[in-house]
C-alpha cells in the first residue's frame, strides 16, 4: 500500500486496510481491529462508488474518521474525483488534519489534501503595508507595538494565518490587515506571488481531499445558488462528493447561511469605513479618494468633494436608520418570538407593506447611489503602482461590493415572505443593536438543489444521527426522503454502528427522581443541592451540563462555598475561553465544570478527569425561537405533531451528545445522572432513555444516588 499505484475501491481492498494484520495496523500504534469500523468503511465506500446519500450513525469509539477518510481517499484517487470532508467543530477539524490524514498519507502517499480556511484567517501583505505606514485617512491610530510584531511575524511565517500568531491582536487591528474576498486585487496585487492565501488556494485546486467546516461549505452553497453553480466567485473549487461529519448540525448551519441578515452594527461599521470625523479630522475611504481626485490633501477642492460625498453617505445613513426605526415600531409588540426576537407574523403583513417596504426601497436606492459613486472612483484610480493607492483601490472596491450587497438585502426584505421563510428582529451584542434576520422554514429544497447540481455522492456521519433507531427525522429535515429528484440522482443508504465500548460494565445511568418539575419555581434550588451532593460523592471530576446560562449562574453561586470547603475546583463557562477551561478541567484535581450549549458536545476528556456527567434538564429548544415556531406551525397546519416530529427528536439527539461526553476509551468508567424528573414522569421520557446505550440503571433521590456513585466510582 506504500506504492504509488492507483488503489482499488473494491470491497476486499477497503476491508483489508482495517484487518488485524492490514496496512493500517502497520502505521497506527495500538491499532485494534473493530468490526464496526470496517463495516462503516464499507458503507462509505458503497455510498461513494454507487452515487448514494449515506446516513451513518457511528457510536463513540468506532473510529469513524479513518473509516470515511480511507474510502474517500481511495475513491478520489481511483476515479480522479475531489471529495469535501466537512466538520462542525474546530477540534474535529484539527484531529483530521493533524492526526488522521497524516496516517492516510502514509498509506496513500500520492494523495493530496488541503485544509480550507476562510479569507479572514489570512494576513494580507498589501493591507498590512498600508496599515504599517499608518495612512491616517484609512486607519485609526492603534497599538504600534502590536502592529510591529505583526509586521515581523508576517516576514517570517510560513503559515500566514491567525492561528500561527504568537500573540492575540485586537479585533480592530487584525480586521485592518486580514485578507478579504471583496478587497483583494488578486493577480494585480504586487504581493500576489508571495500571498499565503493564494498559495493555499493553489494547493486546494490540486487536492483530492478538502477539509472544511460546515460554515464554509454552506457559504459556498449559498453563493452558488445565487450566482450559478459554476461561478468563479464561490468559496470552494468544484468537488464531486461530500462527507459531512457531525452531520446532526447540518440543518441549523444551512438555515443560517441560506437566509439573509441585515445588521445595524454591520451597516454602521461599513459607513464608518467610508467616512468618519475623529478629533477634528476626516478619515475613511471617501476623504482619501477626495485627495486623490484633487491631487493634494490641502486644496479647497478636497473639502468640497469630501463634503459632497459625505452628504450622500449621510442620506444613506438616515434612510437606513429610518428603515430600522420603522421596523422596530412595526415589530414592537412581544409575541411569538419572545422578548428579544420579534417575529413578522401574518397579522403584521399589511403594516409591513405600508410602512416598511417603501423605506426599504428608499434606503436601497440611497445605498446604491453610494455604490455607484465608488464604482466610478475605483475605475478612475486605474491600476496604480504605489502600495498605498493599490490598497485604497482594494478598500474602495470592497466597500462598493458591500454596499451593493446591502442594497440587495434591503430589496430582499422589501418582499414580505412568510410562506417559505420566517423574518424576525433581534437585539445582539453588548450594545443591544438590532439585526433583521430571514431564514428558510424548510432547508430541504435548498439541500436538494445542492445535491442535484453539485455532488455525485453525499455521506452524513455522526455519533447522534438517528432517533428511535431510524434516520427518518434527518431524511425529512434535509429533504432527502420521498423525493423524485433524490430517487433519480441518489439512492439512499443507511446503517447504525454501535460503539465497541462495554457500557454495561463501564457506565452507570441514574435518574434523580425527587426533584420538582423544571417549571416549578423551586426546581433550581433543588437542582443546586442535588448537584452539590453528587459532585462531592464523585470527588469532583464532573461535567455539569445546563440548558440556560441563568440556571448555571444560580447553581454556581449556591454551590461555590461548599466546593471551596471540599477543596474542589469550580469552573464555569464564561469565566475563561472554552479551550482554557477544558485544559484547567483536565489538569486540576477534583474539578467541577459547569457549561451550557457548546459544552454538550465536542469535548473529549478521557480517563478519570471526567467520571461524572450531570444532565440538569432535558435539552429542549427554547420554545419561543422564531424558526422553531414557524416550523412547528407549518407542521401543525399539515396535521402533523410538531412536538413528536420536531422538538422531541432535536432534544433526543442533544441528550445523546451530552451522554457521549462520558466514555471516550475502553478503560473509561463513570456515571451519567439525569436531574429532570420528566424522563420518568412523562410518556415521552422513555424515548430519551431508549436512545442511550444499555447501562447499569439506578433511580432514586439525590442522597441515595450520591451513595451509589461513591461506591461505583
Amino acid at each position: 500500500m506504500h506504492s504509488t499505484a492507483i488503489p482499488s475501491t473494491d470491497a476486499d481492498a477497503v476491508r483489508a486496510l482495517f484487518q488485524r494484520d492490514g496496512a493500517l495496523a502497520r502505521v497506527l500504534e495500538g491499532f485494534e481491529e473493530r468490526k464496526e469500523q470496517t463495516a462503516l468503511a464499507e458503507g462509505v465506500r458503497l455510498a461513494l462508488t454507487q452515487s448514494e446519500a449515506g446516513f451513518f450513525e457511528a457510536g463513540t469509539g468506532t473510529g469513524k474518521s479513518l473509516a470515511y477518510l480511507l474510502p474517500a481517499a481511495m475513491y478520489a484517487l481511483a476515479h480522479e474525483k475531489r471529495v469535501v470532508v466537512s466538520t462542525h467543530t474546530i477540534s474535529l477539524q484539527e484531529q483530521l488534519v493533524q492526526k488522521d490524514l497524516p496516517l492516510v498519507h502514509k498509506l496513500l502517499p500520492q494523495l493530496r489534501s488541503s485544509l480550507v480556511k476562510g479569507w479572514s484567517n489570512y494576513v494580507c501583505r498589501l493591507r498590512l503595508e498600508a496599515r504599517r505606514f499608518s495612512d491616517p485617512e484609512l486607519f485609526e491610530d492603534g497599538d504600534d507595538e502590536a502592529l510591529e510584531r505583526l509586521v515581523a511575524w508576517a516576514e517570517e511565517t510560513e503559515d500566514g494565518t491567525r492561528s500561527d500568531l504568537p500573540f492575540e491582536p485586537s479585533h480592530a487591528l487584525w480586521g485592518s490587515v486580514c485578507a478579504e474576498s471583496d478587497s483583494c486585487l488578486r493577480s494585480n496585487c504586487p504581493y500576489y506571488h508571495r500571498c499565503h492565501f493564494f498559495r493555499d488556494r493553489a494547493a486546494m485546486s490540486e487536492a483530492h481531499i478538502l477539509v472544511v467546516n460546515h460554515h464554509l461549505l454552506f457559504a459556498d452553497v449559498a453563493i452558488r445558488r445565487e450566482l450559478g453553480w459554476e461561478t468563479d466567485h464561490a468559496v470552494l473549487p468544484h468537488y464531486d462528493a461530500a462527507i459531512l461529519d457531525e452531520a446532526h448540525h447540518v440543518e441549523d448551519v444551512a438555515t443560517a447561511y441560506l437566509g439573509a441578515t441585515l445588521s445595524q452594527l454591520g451597516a454602521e461599521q461599513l459607513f464608518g469605513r467610508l467616512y468618519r470625523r475623529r478629533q477634528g479630522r476626516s478619515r475613511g475611504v471617501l476623504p482619501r479618494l477626495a485627495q486623490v481626485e484633487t491631487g493634494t490633501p490641502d486644496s479647497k477642492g478636497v473639502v468640497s468633494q469630501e463634503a459632497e460625498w459625505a452628504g450622500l453617505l449621510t442620506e444613506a445613513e438616515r434612510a437606513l436608520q429610518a428603515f430600522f426605526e420603522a421596523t422596530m415600531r412595526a415589530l414592537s409588540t412581544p409575541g411569538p418570538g419572545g422578548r428579544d426576537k420579534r417575529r413578522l407574523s401574518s397579522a403584521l403583513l399589511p403594516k409591513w407593506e405600508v410602512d416598511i417596504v417603501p423605506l426599504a426601497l428608499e434606503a436601497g436606492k440611497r445605498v446604491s447611489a453610494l455604490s455607484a459613486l465608488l464604482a466610478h472612483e475605483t475605475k478612475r484610480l486605474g491600476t496604480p503602482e504605489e502600495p498605498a493607492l493599490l490598497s485604497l483601490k482594494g478598500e474602495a472596491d470592497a466597500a462598493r461590493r458591500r454596499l451593493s450587497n446591502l442594497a440587495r438585502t434591503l430589496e430582499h426584505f422589501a418582499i414580505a415572505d412568510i410562506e417559505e421563510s420566517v423574518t424576525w428582529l433581534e437585539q445582539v451584542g453588548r450594545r443591544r443593536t438590532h439585526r433583521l434576520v430571514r431564514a428558510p422554514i424548510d432547508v430541504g429544497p435548498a439541500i436538494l438543489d445542492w445535491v442535484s447540481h453539485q455532488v455525485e455522492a453525499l455521506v452524513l456521519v455522526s455519533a447522534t444521527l438517528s432517533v428511535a433507531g431510524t434516520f427518518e427525522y434527518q431524511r425529512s429535515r434535509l429533504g432527502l426522503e420521498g423525493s423524485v429528484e433524490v430517487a433519480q440522482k441518489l439512492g439512499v443508504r443507511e446503517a447504525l454502528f454501535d460503539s465497541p465500548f462495554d457500557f454495561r460494565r463501564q457506565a452507570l445511568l441514574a435518574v434523580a427522581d425527587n426533584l420538582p418539575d423544571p417549571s416549578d419555581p423551586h426546581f433550581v434550588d433543588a437542582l443546586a443541592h442535588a448537584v452539590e451532593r453528587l459532585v462531592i460523592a464523585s470527588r469532583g471530576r464532573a461535567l455539569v451540563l445546563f440548558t440556560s446560562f441563568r440556571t448555571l449562574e444560580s447553581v454556581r453561586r449556591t454551590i461555590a462555598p461548599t466546593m471551596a470547603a471540599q477543596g474542589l475546583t469550580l469552573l464555569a463557562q464564561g469565566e475563561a475561553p472554552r479551550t482554557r477551561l477544558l485544559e484547567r478541567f483536565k489538569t486540576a484535581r477534583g474539578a467541577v465544570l459547569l457549561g451550557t450549549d457548546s459544552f454538550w458536545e465536542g469535548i473529549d476528556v478521557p480517563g478519570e478527569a471526567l467520571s461524572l456527567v450531570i444532565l440538569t434538564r432535558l435539552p429542549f429548544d427554547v420554545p419561543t425561537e422564531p424558526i422553531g415556531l414557524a416550523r412547528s406551525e407549518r407542521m401543525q397546519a399539515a396535521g402533523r405533531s410538531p412536538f413528536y416530529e420536531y422538538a422531541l427528536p432535536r432534544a433526543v439527539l442533544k441528550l445523546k451528545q451530552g451522554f457521549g461526553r462520558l466514555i471516550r476509551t475502553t478503560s473509561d468508567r463513570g456515571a451519567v445522572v439525569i436531574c429532570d424528573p420528566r424522563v420518568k414522569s412523562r410518556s415521552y421520557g422513555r424515548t430519551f432513555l431508549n436512545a442511550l446505550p444499555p447501562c447499569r440503571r439506578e433511580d432514586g433521590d439525590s442522597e441515595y444516588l450520591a451513595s451509589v456513585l461513591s461506591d461505583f466510582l
Side-chain angles (χ1 to χ4, degrees), residues 138-157:
L138 278 175
F139 302 105
E140 297 288 347
D141 293 332
D143 187 338
D144 292 337
E145 181 183 350
L147 177 61
E148 288 306 313
R149 292 179 70 188
L150 257 177
V151 170
W153 165 80
E155 289 300 318
E156 298 174 356
T157 179

Side-chain angles (χ1 to χ4, degrees), residues 490-524:
L490 299 176
V492 175
R493 178 175 299 275
E494 303 175 345
L496 292 102
F497 304 100
D498 292 334
S499 169
F501 299 149
D502 183 358
F503 285 98
R504 293 187 187 278
R505 178 182 60 83
Q506 293 180 252
L508 167 70
L509 174 62
V511 176
D513 58 12
N514 65 320
L515 276 71
D517 190 273
S519 61
D520 190 302
H522 301 293
F523 172 75
V524 176

Side-chain angles (χ1 to χ4, degrees), residues 278-588:
R278 297 281 170 82
Q279 298 175 339
R281 300 182 64 182
S282 298
R283 300 176 182 271
V285 171
L286 292 180
R288 185 71 178 95
L289 283 172
Q291 290 184 14
V292 175
E293 173 80 10
T294 58
T296 169
D298 302 316
S299 69
K300 292 181 180 178
V302 170
V303 176
S304 174
Q305 189 71 278
E306 181 184 310
E308 179 185 342
W309 292 350
L312 286 174
L313 185 139
T314 300
E315 290 174 0
E317 284 183 304
R318 287 174 177 168
L320 191 62
Q321 183 62 27
F323 166 77
F324 266 112
E325 288 176 354
T327 303
M328 285 180 248
R329 289 193 298 271
L331 303 180
S332 61
T333 305
R339 181 170 53 86
D340 293 332
K341 295 184 180 182
R342 311 296 173 84
R343 180 178 157 207
L344 174 62
S345 63
S346 56
L348 293 174
L349 275 180
K351 188 176 183 64
W352 186 274
E353 295 283 358
V354 172
D355 295 346
I356 306 302
V357 171
L359 292 174
L361 295 174
E362 177 63 19
K365 177 182 173 183
R366 299 292 182 182
V367 170
S368 293
L370 263 182
S371 178
L373 165 67
L374 283 170
H376 176 73
E377 292 305 317
T378 303
K379 188 175 181 180
R380 286 174 61 89
L381 276 177
T383 309
E385 295 183 2
E386 184 184 342
L389 287 181
L390 267 174
S391 179
L392 172 63
K393 179 182 174 69
E395 296 284 332
D397 204 40
R400 174 190 64 79
R401 295 181 192 203
R402 293 178 190 190
L403 287 166
S404 295
N405 289 337
L406 177 57
R408 281 199 302 272
T409 304
L410 283 161
E411 292 170 4
H412 180 79
F413 279 109
I415 302 169
D417 172 25
I418 63 168
E419 295 298 321
E420 299 301 325
S421 62
V422 56
T423 300
W424 70 90
L425 186 73
E426 62 185 15
Q427 288 183 299
V428 294
R430 293 180 180 178
R431 288 177 50 193
R432 308 298 287 163
T433 57
H434 286 85
R435 182 168 64 189
L436 192 61
V437 182
R438 178 166 290 173
I441 296 174
D442 182 4
V443 300
I447 298 287
L448 193 55
D449 198 21
W450 169 54
V451 168
S452 300
H453 289 91
Q454 190 78 13
V455 295
E456 298 174 5
L458 175 65
V459 172
L460 298 104
V461 186
S462 173
T464 55
L465 205 57
S466 70
V467 178
T470 79
F471 296 96
E472 181 180 352
Y473 170 75
Q474 292 292 352
R475 289 198 313 269
S476 64
R477 298 309 310 160
L478 301 180
L480 298 175
E481 180 179 51
S483 162
V484 174
E485 291 92 338
V486 171
Q488 290 174 344
K489 179 72 187 285
L490 299 176
V492 175
R493 178 175 299 275
E494 303 175 345
L496 292 102
F497 304 100
D498 292 334
S499 169
F501 299 149
D502 183 358
F503 285 98
R504 293 187 187 278
R505 178 182 60 83
Q506 293 180 252
L508 167 70
L509 174 62
V511 176
D513 58 12
N514 65 320
L515 276 71
D517 190 273
S519 61
D520 190 302
H522 301 293
F523 172 75
V524 176
D525 285 340
L527 172 66
H529 293 301
V531 168
E532 194 172 74
R533 287 193 189 99
L534 294 169
V535 299
I536 290 174
S538 68
R539 304 186 304 281
R541 306 178 294 165
L543 173 64
V544 188
L545 296 173
F546 296 82
T547 59
S548 87
F549 193 74
R550 181 179 299 176
T551 304
L552 182 154
E553 276 295 294
S554 180
V555 170
R556 183 190 64 80
R557 287 193 298 269
T558 301
I559 71 174
T562 303
M563 296 298 100
Q566 292 286 327
L568 300 177
T569 302
L570 182 61
L571 306 170
Q573 182 177 344
E575 65 185 33
R578 183 175 183 268
T579 52
R580 196 177 304 165
L581 279 176
L582 286 171
E583 284 305 312
R584 290 180 61 190
F585 179 69
K586 290 176 183 178
T587 56

Side-chain angles (χ1 to χ4, degrees), residues 24-70:
L24 188 55
R26 292 195 289 273
V27 297
L28 178 57
E29 186 177 351
F31 173 80
E32 296 178 2
E33 184 177 358
R34 286 167 280 188
K35 65 180 187 298
E36 299 89 357
Q37 186 180 42
T38 305
L40 173 57
E42 171 63 4
V44 172
R45 180 194 74 83
L46 286 168
L48 292 173
T49 57
Q50 297 187 18
S51 295
E52 296 173 332
F55 290 81
F56 302 116
E57 179 173 284
T60 309
T62 303
K64 59 185 172 67
S65 301
L66 287 172
Y68 61 68
L69 283 176
L70 280 164

